[in-house]
Amino acid sequence: MRFSFFSLFYVSPFEKLKEHADKVRECAWMFKRAAECYVSQDCEEFDQLTEEVARLESQADFIKRNLRNHIPKGLLMPVDKFMLFDYLREQDHVLDDVEEALYWLSFRPMAGIPEELIGDFLELIDAVIPAIEKLPEMVEQSISYFRNKTEEQRNKLKSIIRDIRQSENEADVLEHELKKRAFAVLDDPVTIFHVVRLLEIIGSIADDAQNASDRMRAMIAR
């Protein structure tokens, strides 16, 4: 008889993981809107959106601490709890880096993004958004998989993991190309440093999402 640990507990750790992933996903459109707002140089919402992302990050941290501190001893889980915590850490880094990117933009409120790079900059933002938005879907699918462990559900999970990896690859290429353009078209060292470091932070958002998907792949490996 297949053992279902979910039937023994009111709130499973994976439900909390989904709650955390939903907070991470909420930041995606705020991040995109804030970046567009900053680029336009004619938008008063940037500070408000940055504060909203900081609020989401605080709420996600609360869920993370709650999950880490309240798993009962002896709880039977479908995966090692340290693998679960490892996944949670990577998922949490996504929101941390979104917040960091917006803070980094705020350090030069009047500088904007150099006109020559605006199109590619917004394209890079668009490239990392799908990786963020796939996280809740991946966690939700994992709940179904660990409940029934069918091959069909496992394949769906692997498909989501591949989608996140593809988004990361596309973002990685764009980040690399945009860095080259920044050095080619910009002269001011401070502007170059600000733009290149910003691109690295944005690129790390997609890296974190892929790291989370790699941890999920490890959890469903057999």
PDB file of all heavy atoms in Angstrom, residues 157-173:
ATOM      1  N   LEU A 157       6.814  17.658 -14.385  1.00  0.00           N
ATOM      2  CA  LEU A 157       7.793  18.386 -13.572  1.00  0.00           C
ATOM      3  C   LEU A 157       9.091  18.596 -14.346  1.00  0.00           C
ATOM      4  O   LEU A 157       9.660  19.699 -14.342  1.00  0.00           O
ATOM      5  CB  LEU A 157       8.080  17.583 -12.301  1.00  0.00           C
ATOM      6  CG  LEU A 157       7.524  18.093 -10.985  1.00  0.00           C
ATOM      7  CD1 LEU A 157       7.874  17.131  -9.864  1.00  0.00           C
ATOM      8  CD2 LEU A 157       8.028  19.484 -10.663  1.00  0.00           C
ATOM      9  N   LYS A 158       9.550  17.557 -15.010  1.00  0.00           N
ATOM     10  CA  LYS A 158      10.798  17.658 -15.768  1.00  0.00           C
ATOM     11  C   LYS A 158      10.669  18.662 -16.913  1.00  0.00           C
ATOM     12  O   LYS A 158      11.620  19.361 -17.256  1.00  0.00           O
ATOM     13  CB  LYS A 158      11.201  16.284 -16.281  1.00  0.00           C
ATOM     14  CG  LYS A 158      11.639  15.330 -15.164  1.00  0.00           C
ATOM     15  CD  LYS A 158      11.800  13.906 -15.641  1.00  0.00           C
ATOM     16  CE  LYS A 158      13.012  13.739 -16.515  1.00  0.00           C
ATOM     17  NZ  LYS A 158      13.219  12.307 -16.875  1.00  0.00           N
ATOM     18  N   SER A 159       9.458  18.744 -17.491  1.00  0.00           N
ATOM     19  CA  SER A 159       9.222  19.725 -18.559  1.00  0.00           C
ATOM     20  C   SER A 159       9.343  21.156 -18.022  1.00  0.00           C
ATOM     21  O   SER A 159       9.934  22.026 -18.670  1.00  0.00           O
ATOM     22  CB  SER A 159       7.830  19.497 -19.161  1.00  0.00           C
ATOM     23  OG  SER A 159       7.543  20.477 -20.118  1.00  0.00           O
ATOM     24  N   ILE A 160       8.782  21.407 -16.839  1.00  0.00           N
ATOM     25  CA  ILE A 160       8.889  22.741 -16.221  1.00  0.00           C
ATOM     26  C   ILE A 160      10.353  23.057 -15.921  1.00  0.00           C
ATOM     27  O   ILE A 160      10.826  24.182 -16.130  1.00  0.00           O
ATOM     28  CB  ILE A 160       8.036  22.797 -14.940  1.00  0.00           C
ATOM     29  CG1 ILE A 160       6.558  22.613 -15.269  1.00  0.00           C
ATOM     30  CG2 ILE A 160       8.249  24.131 -14.217  1.00  0.00           C
ATOM     31  CD1 ILE A 160       5.674  22.397 -14.046  1.00  0.00           C
ATOM     32  N   ILE A 161      11.076  22.077 -15.408  1.00  0.00           N
ATOM     33  CA  ILE A 161      12.498  22.262 -15.100  1.00  0.00           C
ATOM     34  C   ILE A 161      13.277  22.627 -16.365  1.00  0.00           C
ATOM     35  O   ILE A 161      14.132  23.515 -16.344  1.00  0.00           O
ATOM     36  CB  ILE A 161      13.063  20.977 -14.444  1.00  0.00           C
ATOM     37  CG1 ILE A 161      12.475  20.806 -13.041  1.00  0.00           C
ATOM     38  CG2 ILE A 161      14.587  21.020 -14.383  1.00  0.00           C
ATOM     39  CD1 ILE A 161      12.741  19.449 -12.408  1.00  0.00           C
ATOM     40  N   ARG A 162      12.945  21.965 -17.488  1.00  0.00           N
ATOM     41  CA  ARG A 162      13.615  22.295 -18.767  1.00  0.00           C
ATOM     42  C   ARG A 162      13.278  23.712 -19.211  1.00  0.00           C
ATOM     43  O   ARG A 162      14.133  24.443 -19.722  1.00  0.00           O
ATOM     44  CB  ARG A 162      13.209  21.285 -19.845  1.00  0.00           C
ATOM     45  CG  ARG A 162      13.893  19.933 -19.733  1.00  0.00           C
ATOM     46  CD  ARG A 162      13.711  19.123 -21.009  1.00  0.00           C
ATOM     47  NE  ARG A 162      12.306  18.783 -21.241  1.00  0.00           N
ATOM     48  CZ  ARG A 162      11.724  17.695 -20.763  1.00  0.00           C
ATOM     49  NH1 ARG A 162      12.408  16.833 -20.038  1.00  0.00           N
ATOM     50  NH2 ARG A 162      10.457  17.444 -21.010  1.00  0.00           N
ATOM     51  N   ASP A 163      12.014  24.124 -19.009  1.00  0.00           N
ATOM     52  CA  ASP A 163      11.609  25.489 -19.389  1.00  0.00           C
ATOM     53  C   ASP A 163      12.414  26.532 -18.614  1.00  0.00           C
ATOM     54  O   ASP A 163      12.837  27.553 -19.171  1.00  0.00           O
ATOM     55  CB  ASP A 163      10.111  25.695 -19.122  1.00  0.00           C
ATOM     56  CG  ASP A 163       9.235  24.927 -20.094  1.00  0.00           C
ATOM     57  OD1 ASP A 163       9.760  24.481 -21.128  1.00  0.00           O
ATOM     58  OD2 ASP A 163       8.038  24.768 -19.798  1.00  0.00           O
ATOM     59  N   ILE A 164      12.596  26.293 -17.317  1.00  0.00           N
ATOM     60  CA  ILE A 164      13.356  27.236 -16.489  1.00  0.00           C
ATOM     61  C   ILE A 164      14.815  27.280 -16.945  1.00  0.00           C
ATOM     62  O   ILE A 164      15.414  28.357 -17.036  1.00  0.00           O
ATOM     63  CB  ILE A 164      13.258  26.845 -15.000  1.00  0.00           C
ATOM     64  CG1 ILE A 164      11.822  27.052 -14.497  1.00  0.00           C
ATOM     65  CG2 ILE A 164      14.240  27.663 -14.153  1.00  0.00           C
ATOM     66  CD1 ILE A 164      11.575  26.591 -13.070  1.00  0.00           C
ATOM     67  N   ARG A 165      15.368  26.109 -17.285  1.00  0.00           N
ATOM     68  CA  ARG A 165      16.751  26.079 -17.746  1.00  0.00           C
ATOM     69  C   ARG A 165      16.902  26.851 -19.067  1.00  0.00           C
ATOM     70  O   ARG A 165      17.870  27.584 -19.267  1.00  0.00           O
ATOM     71  CB  ARG A 165      17.224  24.639 -17.937  1.00  0.00           C
ATOM     72  CG  ARG A 165      18.709  24.565 -18.357  1.00  0.00           C
ATOM     73  CD  ARG A 165      19.162  23.160 -18.681  1.00  0.00           C
ATOM     74  NE  ARG A 165      18.969  22.293 -17.528  1.00  0.00           N
ATOM     75  CZ  ARG A 165      18.313  21.147 -17.568  1.00  0.00           C
ATOM     76  NH1 ARG A 165      17.783  20.750 -18.690  1.00  0.00           N
ATOM     77  NH2 ARG A 165      18.197  20.424 -16.492  1.00  0.00           N
ATOM     78  N   GLN A 166      15.908  26.709 -19.952  1.00  0.00           N
ATOM     79  CA  GLN A 166      15.960  27.423 -21.225  1.00  0.00           C
ATOM     80  C   GLN A 166      15.909  28.938 -21.006  1.00  0.00           C
ATOM     81  O   GLN A 166      16.644  29.698 -21.642  1.00  0.00           O
ATOM     82  CB  GLN A 166      14.808  26.991 -22.123  1.00  0.00           C
ATOM     83  CG  GLN A 166      14.833  27.673 -23.488  1.00  0.00           C
ATOM     84  CD  GLN A 166      13.748  27.164 -24.420  1.00  0.00           C
ATOM     85  OE1 GLN A 166      13.112  26.151 -24.156  1.00  0.00           O
ATOM     86  NE2 GLN A 166      13.533  27.872 -25.508  1.00  0.00           N
ATOM     87  N   SER A 167      15.040  29.373 -20.088  1.00  0.00           N
ATOM     88  CA  SER A 167      14.959  30.807 -19.774  1.00  0.00           C
ATOM     89  C   SER A 167      16.298  31.309 -19.246  1.00  0.00           C
ATOM     90  O   SER A 167      16.751  32.409 -19.600  1.00  0.00           O
ATOM     91  CB  SER A 167      13.858  31.068 -18.736  1.00  0.00           C
ATOM     92  OG  SER A 167      12.592  30.807 -19.271  1.00  0.00           O
ATOM     93  N   GLU A 168      16.930  30.505 -18.383  1.00  0.00           N
ATOM     94  CA  GLU A 168      18.224  30.909 -17.822  1.00  0.00           C
ATOM     95  C   GLU A 168      19.276  31.012 -18.911  1.00  0.00           C
ATOM     96  O   GLU A 168      20.089  31.943 -18.930  1.00  0.00           O
ATOM     97  CB  GLU A 168      18.657  29.898 -16.748  1.00  0.00           C
ATOM     98  CG  GLU A 168      19.831  30.367 -15.895  1.00  0.00           C
ATOM     99  CD  GLU A 168      21.177  30.173 -16.559  1.00  0.00           C
ATOM    100  OE1 GLU A 168      21.276  29.295 -17.448  1.00  0.00           O
ATOM    101  OE2 GLU A 168      22.131  30.896 -16.221  1.00  0.00           O
ATOM    102  N   ASN A 169      19.263  30.055 -19.849  1.00  0.00           N
ATOM    103  CA  ASN A 169      20.237  30.090 -20.943  1.00  0.00           C
ATOM    104  C   ASN A 169      20.053  31.343 -21.793  1.00  0.00           C
ATOM    105  O   ASN A 169      21.031  31.999 -22.181  1.00  0.00           O
ATOM    106  CB  ASN A 169      20.092  28.842 -21.821  1.00  0.00           C
ATOM    107  CG  ASN A 169      20.602  27.587 -21.135  1.00  0.00           C
ATOM    108  OD1 ASN A 169      21.384  27.665 -20.196  1.00  0.00           O
ATOM    109  ND2 ASN A 169      20.148  26.428 -21.585  1.00  0.00           N
ATOM    110  N   GLU A 170      18.803  31.675 -22.104  1.00  0.00           N
ATOM    111  CA  GLU A 170      18.527  32.866 -22.916  1.00  0.00           C
ATOM    112  C   GLU A 170      18.965  34.129 -22.176  1.00  0.00           C
ATOM    113  O   GLU A 170      19.558  35.044 -22.772  1.00  0.00           O
ATOM    114  CB  GLU A 170      17.033  32.929 -23.250  1.00  0.00           C
ATOM    115  CG  GLU A 170      16.586  31.824 -24.217  1.00  0.00           C
ATOM    116  CD  GLU A 170      15.083  31.765 -24.388  1.00  0.00           C
ATOM    117  OE1 GLU A 170      14.384  32.579 -23.744  1.00  0.00           O
ATOM    118  OE2 GLU A 170      14.613  30.907 -25.163  1.00  0.00           O
ATOM    119  N   ALA A 171      18.665  34.188 -20.873  1.00  0.00           N
ATOM    120  CA  ALA A 171      19.067  35.352 -20.084  1.00  0.00           C
ATOM    121  C   ALA A 171      20.592  35.457 -20.008  1.00  0.00           C
ATOM    122  O   ALA A 171      21.157  36.562 -20.055  1.00  0.00           O
ATOM    123  CB  ALA A 171      18.470  35.260 -18.677  1.00  0.00           C
ATOM    124  N   ASP A 172      21.259  34.315 -19.906  1.00  0.00           N
ATOM    125  CA  ASP A 172      22.718  34.291 -19.821  1.00  0.00           C
ATOM    126  C   ASP A 172      23.350  34.869 -21.095  1.00  0.00           C
ATOM    127  O   ASP A 172      24.304  35.666 -21.025  1.00  0.00           O
ATOM    128  CB  ASP A 172      23.175  32.836 -19.615  1.00  0.00           C
ATOM    129  CG  ASP A 172      24.550  32.760 -18.994  1.00  0.00           C
ATOM    130  OD1 ASP A 172      24.880  33.626 -18.163  1.00  0.00           O
ATOM    131  OD2 ASP A 172      25.311  31.847 -19.356  1.00  0.00           O
ATOM    132  N   VAL A 173      22.821  34.484 -22.245  1.00  0.00           N
ATOM    133  CA  VAL A 173      23.337  34.991 -23.525  1.00  0.00           C
ATOM    134  C   VAL A 173      23.116  36.497 -23.628  1.00  0.00           C
ATOM    135  O   VAL A 173      24.018  37.254 -24.011  1.00  0.00           O
ATOM    136  CB  VAL A 173      22.655  34.260 -24.707  1.00  0.00           C
ATOM    137  CG1 VAL A 173      23.010  34.937 -26.030  1.00  0.00           C
ATOM    138  CG2 VAL A 173      23.067  32.790 -24.739  1.00  0.00           C
TER     139      VAL A 173
END
